[in-house]
Amino acid sequence: MNTVRPESVDGLKGRHVLMVFIGFFLVVFAVNGVFLYSAISTYTGIVAVEPYRKGLNYNERIAADEAQKAQGWHDALEVTRSGQVTLRLTNRLGAPVEGLSISGTFGRPSTAQHDVKLTLDEVRPGTYATHIASPEAGAWIVALEARPVAAPNEITYQLRKRLWLKP
């Protein structure tokens, strides 16, 4: 019996379609993996540390804000690109507020990775300052707490400001 074989046909075959199909999904999985790694490694997901406890103390925080407003203190915060952090505090009459111990943090709003702890020293009556490494341009948050030197466990004044440093 004589069988006739068809000539070899060059072109797209089933195995080629299968390889393209598998290659496409390998690329999709690889790109998704890169995006997933990037998302997980750059954002921890933590919005607030101990949110339950902060919720329980919410009314106390409101009372502390009202007490701070009743003091009538005014603040002037300045952060320069060279790293100079200066805070001026005055009372309702414009007199400088002296004798405070001021500490806090300077960092990015999106991550705690670049946070720097601050301790401001009184350089003139009512003017507190410190120097940090030159910050990059962009958004920053400064959070400060002022305590009387005589009562270091009592927070007298709190300040939280978002700053934009230009290039």
Side-chain angles (χ1 to χ4, degrees), residues 45-125:
I46 295 176
V47 175
V49 178
E50 297 183 348
Y52 179 71
R53 289 180 193 258
K54 285 186 178 184
L56 292 176
N57 297 330
Y58 184 69
N59 289 334
E60 293 172 12
R61 180 68 188 138
I62 291 173
D65 284 346
E66 292 300 321
Q68 181 169 314
K69 286 178 187 175
Q71 286 176 331
W73 290 6
H74 301 281
D75 56 67
L77 177 68
E78 182 182 354
V79 179
T80 64
R81 284 295 308 277
S82 64
Q84 184 67 31
V85 180
T86 307
L87 174 67
R88 288 177 197 81
L89 285 174
T90 56
N91 63 18
R92 72 181 73 224
L93 301 174
V97 178
E98 302 178 55
L100 298 175
S101 171
I102 300 178
S103 61
T105 58
F106 177 83
R108 295 285 190 183
S110 58
T111 180
Q113 193 173 13
H114 303 287
D115 284 4
V116 176
K117 293 197 182 298
L118 302 175
T119 302
L120 282 74
D121 299 316
E122 192 167 8
V123 292
R124 287 184 302 281

Side-chain angles (χ1 to χ4, degrees), residues 77-80 85 106-109 138-142 160-166:
L77 177 68
E78 182 182 354
V79 179
T80 64
V85 180
F106 177 83
R108 295 285 190 183
W140 294 93
I141 289 186
V142 179
R160 184 174 170 90
K161 285 202 176 178
R162 187 179 195 120
L163 305 171
W164 182 264
L165 298 180
K166 296 180 181 179

Side-chain angles (χ1 to χ4, degrees), residues 7 13-14 23 25-28 38-39 57 80 88 96 109-110 112 135 144 152-153 167:
E7 293 182 20
K13 295 186 179 179
F25 280 103
L26 286 176
V27 169
V28 168
S38 178
N57 297 330
T80 64
R88 288 177 197 81
S110 58
L144 299 173
N153 293 331

